[in-house]
Amino acid sequence: MQVETITTQPYNDQNPGTSGLRKKVKVFQQPGYLENFVQAIFDSLEDFSGKALVLGGDGRYFNRAAIQTIIKIAAANGFGELIIGQGGLLSTPAASNIIRKYKAFGGIVLSASHNPGGPDEDFGIKYNAENGGPAPEKYTDAFFKRSQVIDSYKIAVMDDVDLDRVGTQQVDSITIKIIDPVADYAELMQSLFDFPLLKQSIGSGNISLLFDAMSAITGPYAKRILVEMLGASPDSIINAEPLEDFGGHHPDP
C-alpha cells in the first residue's frame, strides 16, 4: 500500500468535548482540517496496529466524504480492519454495540447529535473507546494537545470504497467490512426486551403508535424493529429515510 505523508499546519480550535468535535461543515471542509484531527486521534492512541476500527455516522451532509478520508488515514496508520455501516450509516448506540460485540479497538462516530444538518449546518466527529463509550477526558485532552502541534498526516493512496455493498473487501493489508447498520442493534434489543410480548400488543393493533424519525439516522432502525420485527403498521413510521439535511427538520426529540 502506498502511503503519503502530507505536510500540514495545525488549527487552534480542535478541542473536543465528550460529544466530540463539532463545527460547521465549512470548517471541516478546510484543507487538512478533518485530516489533522483524525491523525491527532491516531497519534494519541497506542497499540492499535492490525486491530479493528468501527466507523459510521448519522448520514448528515459530509458524512460519506469524511468516511472515505478516514478510511484512507486509518489504513495508512496501520489498522488491520474497518467495520463500517452500509451507506456510512451507524447510530451512536449501534456503533457502541458493534465496538463491544466485535471487540474492536475503538470507533469513530460522525455525528453532531441533534444539531441541524446540511451544507451550511453542523458536522461532528467523536472517538469511542473499546468499551463503546465516549473517549474519556484524558483521551480528548491528548487529541487536542496533539492537534496544536501536528505538522503532517499519513494517508493511503487508494480508490474510494463502495460503502453501499454489504460484504468484505480486502485492500492490500486492510480488511474492510461493510455491514448492515441495523442488524446487530436489533439483535441487542431482542436480548433486552420481550419482543414476543411487545408484538402481541403492537402487531395486534392494541397499541397505536407514530414514530417520526425526522429524516435522521433512527429511521432504518425504527422500520426494522417496530415494523418488520414487532408488526407495527408501515405508516406508523414517518420521515424514515435519512437525508443529508434531515429534510429541513431539526432532529431534536
Side-chain angles (χ1 to χ4, degrees), residues 32-76:
Y33 193 91
L34 173 66
E35 292 87 344
N36 280 15
F37 188 67
V38 174
Q39 186 66 59
I41 292 174
F42 296 158
D43 286 349
S44 305
L45 302 173
E46 297 178 346
D47 301 325
F48 58 75
S49 180
K51 296 183 180 179
L53 181 75
V54 173
L55 180 58
D58 61 12
R60 67 180 57 237
Y61 186 85
F62 195 56
N63 189 78
R64 293 176 73 101
I67 285 175
Q68 296 291 355
T69 297
I70 296 168
I71 288 171
K72 295 168 186 176
I73 298 177

Side-chain angles (χ1 to χ4, degrees), residues 46-55 79-83 94-108 127-133 177 179 184 187:
E46 297 178 346
D47 301 325
F48 58 75
S49 180
K51 296 183 180 179
L53 181 75
V54 173
L55 180 58
F79 280 95
E81 181 179 345
L82 297 177
I83 304 172
S96 176
N97 173 56
I98 289 167
I99 291 169
R100 297 190 304 274
K101 179 177 179 179
Y102 295 105
K103 297 178 171 59
F105 181 85
I108 290 180
Y127 179 76
N128 279 27
E130 64 182 352
N131 66 356
K177 295 182 178 178
I179 64 169
D184 292 301
E187 181 183 85

Side-chain angles (χ1 to χ4, degrees), residues 31-232:
Y33 193 91
L34 173 66
E35 292 87 344
N36 280 15
F37 188 67
V38 174
Q39 186 66 59
I41 292 174
F42 296 158
D43 286 349
S44 305
L45 302 173
E46 297 178 346
D47 301 325
F48 58 75
S49 180
K51 296 183 180 179
L53 181 75
V54 173
L55 180 58
D58 61 12
R60 67 180 57 237
Y61 186 85
F62 195 56
N63 189 78
R64 293 176 73 101
I67 285 175
Q68 296 291 355
T69 297
I70 296 168
I71 288 171
K72 295 168 186 176
I73 298 177
N77 279 271
F79 280 95
E81 181 179 345
L82 297 177
I83 304 172
I84 307 170
Q86 184 182 22
L89 299 177
L90 276 179
S91 73
T92 298
S96 176
N97 173 56
I98 289 167
I99 291 169
R100 297 190 304 274
K101 179 177 179 179
Y102 295 105
K103 297 178 171 59
F105 181 85
I108 290 180
V109 181
L110 304 176
S111 173
S113 296
H114 307 300
N115 296 17
D120 298 315
E121 298 297 349
D122 298 333
F123 189 77
I125 176 171
K126 56 187 174 182
Y127 179 76
N128 279 27
E130 64 182 352
N131 66 356
E137 191 172 331
K138 68 175 183 178
Y139 280 59
T140 55
D141 286 349
F143 301 162
F144 180 48
K145 183 177 179 180
R146 177 59 185 155
S147 77
Q148 292 179 300
V149 297
I150 194 166
D151 59 4
S152 66
Y153 61 86
K154 293 186 288 186
I155 191 163
V157 179
M158 56 186 284
D159 293 335
D160 284 353
V161 171
D162 184 353
L163 299 176
D164 298 311
R165 178 168 58 89
V166 171
T168 300
Q169 310 168 44
Q170 190 70 35
V171 181
D172 290 331
S173 59
I174 190 166
T175 301
I176 300 174
K177 295 182 178 178
I178 308 298
I179 64 169
D180 181 327
V182 179
D184 292 301
Y185 186 75
E187 181 183 85
L188 174 65
M189 292 298 101
Q190 282 184 296
S191 73
L192 298 175
F193 299 98
D194 189 335
F195 269 37
L197 182 61
L198 288 170
K199 190 171 184 177
Q200 287 180 24
S201 295
I202 295 175
S204 66
N206 290 335
I207 294 179
S208 61
L209 61 88
L210 179 64
F211 185 98
D212 186 352
M214 293 175 279
S215 302
I217 186 62
T218 54
Y221 296 85
K223 287 172 66 176
R224 181 77 58 84
I225 295 171
L226 296 177
V227 176
E228 296 177 20
M229 300 177 73
L230 296 178

Side-chain angles (χ1 to χ4, degrees), residues 23-34:
K23 303 288 181 182
K24 294 297 183 183
V25 168
K26 285 181 170 56
V27 174
F28 274 99
Q29 289 176 323
Q30 295 176 94
Y33 193 91
L34 173 66

